[in-house]
Structures are given as C-alpha cells and as structure tokens.
Amino acid sequence: MKYMSGNELREKYLQFFAEKKGHLRLPSASLIPENDPTLLMIGAGMAPFKPFFTGKMKPPRTRITTSQRCVRTGDIENVGRTARHQTYFEMLGNFSFGDYFKEEAIPWAWEFLTDVVDLPKEKLWVTIYPKDDEAAEIWKQQPGFNPEHIVKLDDNFWEIGPGPCGPDSEIYIDLGEERGCGSPDCAVGCDCDRYLEIWNLVFTQYDRTEDGKYLPLAHKNIDTGCGLERLASVLQSKKTNFETDLLFPIIEYAANVSGVVYGVDPAKDISLKVIADHARSMAIMIMDGILPSNEGRGYVLRRILRRAVRHGRMLGITDKFLTGAVDAVIRIYGGVPDFEDLVAKQEYIKKVISLEEDRFHITLSQGMELLTGHIRTLKDAGTAILSGEIGFKLYDTFGFPWELTDEILHENGMELDKTAFDTAMQQQRERARAARQENQRVTVPDLRGLDTKSLQADTAATEAKVVCIWKDGQIVDELHDGEEAGIIMDVTPFYAEGGGQVGDAGLLVSEFGKIKVSNAKKLPDGTIYHISYMEEGLLRVGDSVKIRVDSKKKLASARNHTATHLLQAALKRIVGEQVNQAGSSVTSERLRFDFSNFEPVSAQQLADVEGLVNAEILTGKDVELKQMKQDEAKAMGAMALFGEKYGDVVRVVTVPGFSMELCGGSHVSNVGQIGMFKIISETGIAAGVRRIEAITGQAALAYANAKMQELTGVAAKLRTREEDVLSHLDVLLAEHKELQQQLATVNESRARADVQRLLETMYTYGDIQVVAGTVTVADVDELRSIADMVCGKLSHGVVVLAATNDGKVNLVVKASKEAVSAGVHAGKIIKDTAKVVGGGGGGRPDMAQAGGKQADKLPLAFEKACEIIQAQIK
C-alpha cells in the first residue's frame, strides 16, 4: 500500500482516467448548481451531469472524469461523532454516457486500487445486487480477487422513482478486526468501522416506467463515486478522515488556539473535528460565491459558521479564531488547480468570515439574554419545558443554535420541547420547498429527440418555425390560450438571459394565435428557449411565427448593461481596486450591481462615481466587441467575473481607455446611447458586500424630472424661488430650534412648579416620605423625569405619579435607595396600584411603570399605593 497525500491521490486518480482510459478531465463544478432549481448545492459527483444522464443534453465527451466539490448537511449533527461524516467532501468520479459499461468500469476500478495505489487485494470486498450475475462474473475475473469476497445485498440497486436506474457495486476494504465491533456476525455492511466503503459503481442500464416495469436502456451509463477523504485515510493509515492531511492541519490549529490536546478528551475531540470540517466547508463555499444570509445556500453557510463558533466556545475560545482556520485550509489546498480562487480570494474569504463572526457574537449575546429571561419566566411559573416555538425563534431569528439552547436548559434542570421545535422547522422547510417549486413552473423536459445542432441564433431574424413546445415539464403538440409554456424555434433573435442580464421579451404571431414572450433562457448546450404565454388562439409545433422583439426593452437593457461595465470601472478608480463584482442584475428598468467592499461608499464617493460615468457617456465612444482566446483577453487586461465559467474563445466588451470585460451580454454600440446615468441607492446586503442600484436613459430622465417637480412643489409651499430653497430652510430650522428651546424653558419651569406643588402634599410613614399625585406631561419620559426630580428632593422617599392622555393612564413609581433598604418595592407597588385603574405593569424595586384606562379611579389608586407602602416598610 502506497502512502499518498490527499492532493497526490486526487491527481493520480484524474491522471489514471484521463491519460490511460481516454476520459475528458473537467474541473470541479461550482457548489452552486447551474440551471437546476431542484438542488440547493452540489452534493454528489454526478449532480453537474444530470442533463447528460437523462439525455436532455449531449456531453462534451462520452467519457468524463472529475474530482467534484460537494456539501451535504442533512446529518450535520453526526459530524465529529463518527469517523466519516463531513459537511464538505470531494468525490472522485469517472463517468460514461453511452460509452463503456461494466466490462470496463469494474476492471478499471480494480486496476486503480490494486496497481496505482497498491491496496492489498486480499483485503478488498465487493457488494453486488443479487440478480446482477454479470457483475459477479466480471469481479471473479479480476486478477487476485477472492470470489468469496462477493456479498449480495438487496440494497445494491440505485433508483429514484421512474426513469434511469440500475444495480450498483460497492467496493470495501477490511481494516482489520481491531477496527471492528467484536461481534461474530461482523461482516460487510456492519455499522462498525472495520469494513470501509471506498467506491461505488452504479450501472445505469434500465428505464423504470410509471407502472413499475424495468426496460433496458439503449444507451447504458456509468456513474462512479470514490470518496477522496475515505481513500486517503486508508493510504495514510488513519482511523478517521479527520486525521488525514486534508483535515488534520485545521485540527492542529484549533487545538493550539484553544490549548486543548487532541486525543485526550473525546468530547473535546468532537468540537475540534467540527471546527476543522466546518472551517474547510465555509472557506470553499465562499470561494464558490456563497455568502452568509437567512435563506438558501447562504443560510447553510451561516449555520455552519455559527456551529463552528459554538464549538469554539465549548473549547474555551472566546475571541474570534476562524480566519486563522482559513489560513490552515489554504495551506492544504493552495497548490491545487481547482482551488486557485481559494488563494486569489484569501483576504476576501477571511473578511467575510470575520464580519460574520462579529455579527454572531452580537446575536449570541442577544440570544443568551433572551434565553436567560425565558428561563427566569419558567422558574417563576414552576415549569421545566421551554416551548418549541420560542426555541425556534431563538434559532431562526437570532441564529442561536438549538443544541446550545438545549444544553443551557439542561444545566438549569429544564428541556426544550423538541417536537414543537421540529414542527416549526418542518413548516419552514415546507415554505422553502414551495418557493423552489414556484421557480420550476416551466421545467425543461427531456429534449434528447430534438436536433439542437440545426437551431440558430440570428439577431436579424423576423420569422421562425416552432420546433418544440412544452408545459409542466411535458412536451406537447399544441398550446391554447391562457397556457404558459416553453417554446423553441429553429431560429431566434432573442437574447437569452445570462451574465446577470434578463433575456429579451417580445411577441410571436402565428396564423391562428398571439404569444407573449416574457423572457428567453439558454440551456447548457446553448439552445435558446422562450418562456411564453398564449394570449389568444392556438399554436402548434411546425407553425410559422412572425417575431417582434420588444426593441425598447432590448435597448433599455443594453443601456443598463453597458452602464454596469462603466460603473464597475468607475468604482475601481474612485473607491479602490479591492472592488470586485459579486453579482449583478440587468433589466430594462434598472441595473443592480453587487460588489465586494467592507464599508459603505461615502456620499462624496458616490457623487464622484456617478460624475465619472456620466463624463464617460458624454465622450460618445463606440463600444468595441471582439472574439478572442481567453488567455489573450486576460493578457490584454480584460476583467473576468468571479465565479463565471468561460470557454476557450470569449467575447471582450471594451469602452476604449475606460473599461474592458469578458461578457456575452447585449450592449449599446456607442456609450452616448446610455444618455444619462443616475445612482438611486447604495446599501449593504451581506458581510463585505455592497449593492448599488442605478437607472439610465429615459428612466434616469424621468427620475430627474420627478425630483425637479418635487423641488418646485417645495419652493411653492415655502413661497420662495427654487434656488433659494436651502437658505430658506436654514432660516426655518433656526426658528424651529429657537422655539424648541423656548418650549423647553417653559416645560422646565412648569416641571419645577409641579415638583414644588407635589412636595407640599407629602405624606410621612415613619421615616419614609411619600408623594402621590397627578401631573400634566407630553409623554411617559417626561413623567419619569418629574418623578426623578421629586425623589431627588426627598431623603427617604417614594414617589407615585400619574398622567392622563386621551383617556389613558400612565403610572410611575420611584423609590430612593433608603426607601428600598426599608423594604419598599416599586414593582410590587405598581402591580396592584395599576389594577385599580384597569391596567397592569411592573418593574424593579427602585423604579416601575404601568398603564391603565380608568382615569376616574386615580384617587383610589393613590390610596392603594399608600396602603402597600405602609405594609412594605420594615
């Protein structure tokens, strides 16, 4: 058995299948699924290739190999508690799309494991589907394989409802009796760590029909998955994935920061493993363009990060520490081609994590304060179960992990109503699922029967033939009025949504119908389809249609897209080179540009950016569009967008001397066509990410005219000229300030008079001086202020004051330190006093307030207060 680092193992695998077995080696896809609303994140090696497996799309090659980045959090609570559970992992895979099958997949897996990485043949076991005699025979033919090491299991069949499916074969390695459970029945499939699954070969050979029949596929596929961390643990002789060189350096960092020694305390080891796993996950998720948020992928990232912080606190780490863990991650992956952005975006990733860590420390404090209050309430009520709804609110609103809530409750002899918590969680998931389903109204069907090679894109096209229609994910022959559908034509002038820009809209008119196109989108193979609504009549496949692209919207979108390029260039010049695009949205109405920056853009900077963009528009330069090789474009200084995938040949959009970007969107031919550029807002949308919204052209002109009309209206109301509005406002504000000062002087004089009047009504009970009465005030703050003033005049005083406004009563009780020492409790006094006036309230021993609604009973309320004070005095 050959020792290999995790990075060496990955490279050996990819080289084996690419160089020796003729596979196309592709880089890992982003964790963010492309054109697949059913997935939150990529969680399997085959996930990016779903359209190829289903036949909807043709792959670039029939043999492909990858090492795919994956994230799964369905069993996140097991991370650190078992040897193998992780949120992030890499899946080595070799795939065949109608090319080779079992006769090649099995021997090649055996060759790699026994020849390339030199695993002992006598330690390898395989499982197969009981009816898969073909796989069994092929395994028996492998050199040095023990036929008795074949185990037949009914579970070895892969299927998810109707569609492609088939048997699979899992490869295990026997790690020795010392790693087992000790049971005499211990064998492949046991839950202990003795037999470790390292590779799964899926043989997709059937098509399951709706009525449960299994029909042979004409083109069989191979889908394999070999866990990089699992195989690395075998080659490095480590008991767990966490001790391999792909994770252990992060554990060493966390152990050093916390002062904990790994391997001594199992409970602390769990926290060290969680921190290592989660730190790696968050760094790579941010690398792939995911940012913390309260929904979707961002919520998963936020949850992972906050779990890491919680486990850090469990180890005694109170300061921020996760950015150091990111450094450890980068040291592990720094030289790997698929992780170049991890190094390039190192400071950005660390800044995002640092800001999120700061935010969680605040919410953690808020959550602790709220939970402590709920615990106090439970104790006062004599109950020991915190409602699941409250627990979920702490979790969902304040990011307070439910495990921490449960742990703190147990320390106080209480528990969380986990059933109600789970119910609230399930309701949230159902809401999220419903939202995802709403996004799938025009789901693309199986298009393998469509000749997509003959389809064309031509901006000058005015007529076309309908070649495909589908609705609700099913191909149909015709479309009727009131129905929404996807339509493909043999030629289209519509720009398809991409690069943040919405697709073109327009109208299709056939002999018997009118169809409104709301957007155009592009499939991974370049096929353009049109999201359409049948306004009237009938449309059939084969019908000819006249095309009317909405030219006004198209030009408006082009204005906004070119303006987005100018905006980014201006931001880099005015705000700094650290500005990088983090997302964008271009429609005909407006443009939205998200960019990395760790502080708000100042008002002066925004004005300078806007001025610079408008100055560039006034130059009237032609916009240059050129096709060239990607390397050549980058050498010229063309800006590539973070997270975007480009082919070998790219289109470069240049505004000479100002902006140069790789972009496939629609643009104006001359910057002067933009007309006018106006920034509407600048806000923060996530840690380290700012957002600018802006408008151009007619929208900007309308905005400016509206502002001028508002200014004209203000000037008319102020009875001054427009150019004098500001100076006139300065005069009015100065007068207002002077009146406020005069009013404050009057109120202060009235308050002093009220204090003096109240002191003249003072009662004395032993050493305690009591003042009770009503005052006229504007609000409860002024009522408290007068109570403070009266109490300050008393040496051992209690003040009970009331004020009425619009029939409502406000009550305040104030007690001096001496009165509190004598037994007075303001909160208890006001509790019963407020009941007299039909209200309620409470507070501290020295200060309390309440409300009521029966002002006519205030004399009785004051009498009640005096009775309570006399009873409280020691």
Side-chain angles (χ1 to χ4, degrees):
M1 187 165 64
K2 298 175 183 177
Y3 176 91
M4 288 187 191
S5 69
N7 291 336
E8 289 172 336
L9 175 59
R10 181 194 302 106
E11 187 61 27
K12 284 287 186 184
Y13 182 95
L14 295 173
Q15 284 181 353
F16 176 79
F17 282 99
E19 297 174 9
K20 290 189 176 183
K21 306 303 178 186
H23 288 59
L24 172 64
R25 176 175 174 174
L26 291 179
S28 170
S30 168
L31 287 170
I32 302 175
E34 184 177 354
N35 295 320
D36 191 345
T38 66
L39 292 178
L40 195 62
M41 275 185 285
I42 297 296
M46 60 76 66
F49 305 131
K50 279 171 64 177
F52 305 150
F53 279 114
T54 59
K56 289 183 179 181
M57 303 292 157
K58 292 182 180 179
R61 288 263 287 277
T62 55
R63 298 181 180 186
I64 291 176
T65 185
T66 62
S67 181
Q68 176 60 46
R69 301 190 287 272
C70 301
V71 168
R72 295 180 191 170
T73 58
D75 50 4
I76 193 171
E77 65 279 356
N78 288 327
V79 173
R81 300 181 184 276
T82 71
R84 314 296 168 196
H85 276 96
Q86 299 152 216
T87 56
Y88 172 85
F89 60 94
E90 277 184 72
M91 190 61 74
L92 303 170
N94 55 287
F95 309 95
S96 167
F97 308 104
D99 190 324
Y100 62 85
F101 201 50
K102 298 176 190 176
E103 296 83 356
E104 293 83 13
I106 291 174
W108 290 349
W110 182 257
E111 180 183 350
F112 180 78
L113 292 176
T114 59
D115 291 352
V116 179
V117 300
D118 199 24
L119 293 185
K121 298 176 182 179
E122 68 277 8
K123 295 287 187 181
L124 294 175
W125 291 68
V126 299
T127 62
I128 63 170
Y129 185 61
K131 296 180 182 180
D132 193 357
D133 297 332
E134 182 184 9
E137 287 304 314
I138 297 173
W139 275 117
K140 291 174 184 178
Q141 295 169 13
Q142 301 315 302
F145 179 76
N146 184 350
E148 295 181 1
H149 283 194
I150 296 177
V151 179
K152 296 182 178 182
L153 297 176
D154 289 331
D155 290 341
N156 280 90
F157 196 93
W158 183 88
E159 63 180 334
I160 306 177
C165 59
D168 62 82
S169 180
E170 297 167 330
I171 305 173
Y172 290 78
I173 185 167
D174 182 357
L175 299 175
E177 291 185 16
E178 67 278 6
R179 299 284 291 276
C181 57
S183 169
D185 299 325
C186 184
V188 171
C190 183
D191 290 334
C192 70
D193 288 337
R194 176 174 176 175
Y195 296 95
L196 176 66
E197 180 193 344
I198 53 177
W199 206 335
N200 188 17
L201 315 178
V202 180
F203 313 123
T204 310
Q205 63 188 87
Y206 299 112
D207 183 10
R208 179 183 166 184
T209 63
E210 292 286 351
D211 57 0
K213 294 179 181 179
Y214 293 87
L215 306 178
L217 281 172
H219 302 288
K220 299 176 175 63
N221 301 320
I222 289 291
D223 162 22
T224 82
C226 176
L228 175 64
E229 290 85 357
R230 287 188 174 215
L231 190 52
S233 73
V234 175
L235 297 180
Q236 296 174 22
S237 301
K238 302 299 182 183
K239 289 186 177 181
T240 74
N241 294 357
F242 295 94
E243 291 161 7
T244 68
D245 64 346
L246 294 169
L247 277 165
F248 198 67
I250 317 171
I251 289 179
E252 290 180 313
Y253 164 78
N256 182 58
V257 172
S258 63
V260 172
V261 178
Y262 179 76
V264 175
D265 184 339
K268 292 182 177 178
D269 286 352
I270 290 173
S271 290
L272 290 171
K273 292 173 184 176
V274 168
I275 290 169
D277 169 81
H278 288 11
R280 184 173 68 160
S281 291
M282 69 182 77
I284 294 170
M285 288 171 74
I286 296 170
M287 178 193 80
D288 272 351
I290 300 170
L291 292 170
S293 70
N294 283 329
E295 58 184 26
R297 289 178 283 270
Y299 185 77
V300 174
L301 172 58
R302 175 164 283 168
R303 181 187 180 197
I304 285 173
L305 191 150
R306 293 183 173 188
R307 285 191 91 246
V309 172
R310 183 179 74 86
H311 279 275
R313 290 173 74 96
M314 290 168 68
L315 294 176
I317 304 173
T318 55
D319 295 328
K320 294 197 301 182
F321 70 97
L322 288 177
T323 54
V326 173
D327 290 330
V329 175
I330 291 172
R331 284 193 292 271
I332 296 170
Y333 291 94
V336 181
D338 267 5
F339 295 88
E340 291 174 347
D341 279 341
L342 198 61
V343 178
K345 299 293 178 181
Q346 178 175 356
E347 293 307 314
Y348 173 74
I349 293 167
K350 290 167 68 174
K351 188 70 175 180
V352 170
I353 289 173
S354 178
L355 291 172
E356 183 65 17
E357 211 172 349
D358 283 337
R359 184 176 298 175
F360 184 47
H361 279 298
I362 295 172
T363 58
L364 196 61
S365 300
Q366 292 174 336
M368 284 297 299
E369 184 178 342
L370 284 167
L371 182 55
T372 301
H374 287 303
I375 289 173
R376 190 182 303 116
T377 301
L378 290 175
K379 286 182 177 178
D380 290 343
T383 58
I385 298 178
L386 181 71
S387 80
E389 290 77 11
I390 292 174
F392 183 75
K393 182 179 180 182
L394 286 166
Y395 172 82
D396 190 48
T397 305
F398 297 95
F400 208 64
W402 78 264
E403 301 97 328
L404 185 55
T405 299
D406 198 46
E407 180 183 335
I408 295 170
L409 288 170
H410 278 291
E411 291 171 358
N412 288 271
M414 300 175 180
E415 61 181 305
L416 174 67
D417 184 347
K418 189 63 167 52
T419 301
F421 178 92
D422 291 340
T423 299
M425 177 68 82
Q426 183 59 33
Q427 289 171 347
Q428 184 199 56
R429 287 173 178 158
E430 288 171 358
R431 289 192 295 271
R433 188 180 300 114
R436 286 197 297 273
Q437 290 172 348
E438 178 64 21
N439 290 333
Q440 300 175 51
R441 287 181 301 151
V442 188
T443 304
V444 179
D446 184 344
L447 297 175
R448 76 182 92 186
L450 184 66
D451 180 14
T452 57
K453 290 183 179 179
S454 63
L455 304 180
Q456 298 178 29
D458 181 359
T459 56
T462 57
E463 292 187 10
K465 179 181 177 182
V466 175
V467 298
C468 185
I469 303 173
W470 70 84
K471 58 182 181 180
D472 299 324
Q474 299 294 322
I475 293 177
V476 295
D477 293 327
E478 57 187 37
L479 192 63
H480 300 270
D481 59 284
E483 294 181 332
E484 188 176 27
I487 296 176
I488 294 177
M489 301 182 290
D490 62 347
V491 61
T492 179
F494 286 81
Y495 168 78
E497 181 178 297
Q501 180 178 337
V502 69
D504 284 342
L507 200 65
L508 307 178
V509 180
S510 70
E511 183 179 4
F512 301 107
K514 184 189 295 182
I515 306 97
K516 182 179 180 181
V517 177
S518 59
N519 198 3
K521 294 192 175 186
K522 186 182 291 186
L523 298 173
D525 66 351
T527 301
I528 296 174
Y529 67 96
H530 310 77
I531 297 177
S532 308
Y533 177 77
M534 193 79 197
E535 289 190 327
E536 58 184 52
L538 171 72
L539 181 72
R540 292 189 177 97
V541 172
D543 284 356
S544 294
V545 293
K546 293 182 178 180
I547 303 170
R548 301 176 191 169
V549 176
D550 190 327
S551 57
K552 287 186 178 180
K553 280 190 173 183
K554 188 178 183 74
L555 179 56
S557 294
R559 286 192 185 102
N560 286 332
H561 201 152
T562 306
T564 303
H565 286 215
L566 299 182
L567 172 60
Q568 178 165 215
L571 283 168
K572 282 184 170 289
R573 296 188 185 191
I574 302 297
V575 180
E577 284 296 326
Q578 78 279 2
V579 167
N580 283 301
Q581 181 171 337
S584 69
S585 173
V586 175
T587 69
S588 57
E589 291 82 20
R590 55 105 182 99
L591 66 92
R592 190 186 73 208
F593 184 73
D594 300 339
F595 57 98
S596 56
N597 202 54
F598 297 105
E599 59 186 10
V601 181
S602 70
Q604 185 58 54
Q605 287 176 319
L606 286 174
D608 291 344
V609 166
E610 187 178 284
L612 184 56
V613 171
N614 280 307
E616 191 62 25
I617 291 170
L618 291 174
T619 64
K621 294 176 183 174
D622 286 338
V623 178
E624 299 175 358
L625 307 176
K626 293 181 180 179
Q627 301 278 347
M628 63 182 70
K629 290 185 177 180
Q630 184 179 157
D631 292 342
E632 181 185 350
K634 289 184 177 179
M636 291 174 58
M639 199 183 314
L641 302 186
F642 175 47
E644 285 289 323
K645 301 294 183 183
Y646 300 98
D648 293 334
V649 177
V650 296
R651 187 175 75 154
V652 180
V653 179
T654 305
V655 178
F658 196 80
S659 169
M660 184 185 296
E661 291 188 28
L662 307 186
C663 181
S666 61
H667 291 271
V668 295
S669 57
N670 184 290
V671 292
Q673 290 177 282
I674 297 172
M676 178 182 180
F677 173 82
K678 182 64 185 175
I679 293 175
I680 301 302
S681 65
E682 191 275 345
T683 56
I685 60 167
V689 181
R690 309 296 301 177
R691 170 173 290 173
I692 283 179
E693 294 199 34
I695 50 179
T696 64
Q698 190 64 43
L701 183 61
Y703 179 86
N705 286 337
K707 291 296 181 184
M708 281 302 301
Q709 288 177 0
E710 289 178 10
L711 178 60
T712 300
V714 170
K717 288 188 176 183
L718 293 176
R719 297 183 179 179
T720 187
R721 297 181 302 174
E722 292 171 7
E723 57 267 32
D724 295 332
V725 164
L726 286 178
S727 59
H728 199 82
L729 277 175
D730 287 338
V731 172
L732 289 177
L733 290 172
E735 291 175 356
H736 178 68
K737 184 177 180 180
E738 184 179 350
L739 288 172
Q740 282 186 315
Q741 291 172 343
Q742 292 175 4
L743 182 60
T745 301
V746 171
N747 287 338
E748 186 178 347
S749 298
R750 188 185 66 192
R752 284 197 298 268
D754 284 340
V755 170
Q756 187 59 42
R757 175 178 58 80
L758 290 166
L759 288 172
E760 292 172 357
T761 64
M762 182 178 67
Y763 302 93
T764 301
Y765 303 111
D767 293 331
I768 302 301
Q769 302 160 311
V770 179
V771 171
T774 59
V775 293
T776 301
V777 294
D779 52 41
V780 72
D781 289 336
E782 192 176 341
L783 182 64
R784 283 196 299 264
S785 178
I786 294 176
D788 287 339
M789 293 171 64
V790 174
C791 199
K793 299 287 186 179
L794 306 175
S795 57
H796 295 69
V798 182
V799 180
V800 182
L801 295 185
T804 59
N805 284 301
D806 297 327
K808 296 180 181 179
V809 177
N810 286 316
L811 287 167
V812 169
V813 177
K814 174 75 176 178
S816 67
K817 292 181 180 179
E818 295 80 6
V820 172
S821 297
V824 171
H825 192 295
K828 294 179 180 178
I829 295 171
I830 210 162
K831 181 179 179 181
D832 289 333
T833 301
K835 291 179 181 178
V836 178
V837 292
R844 305 187 306 269
D846 63 326
M847 180 68 184
Q849 66 183 56
K853 50 191 176 183
Q854 296 174 329
D856 58 315
K857 293 185 178 180
L858 275 175
L860 296 176
F862 290 138
E863 290 179 11
K864 183 66 175 179
C866 291
E867 291 175 8
I868 298 170
I869 292 169
Q870 293 179 69
Q872 286 181 342
I873 297 172
K874 295 178 181 177

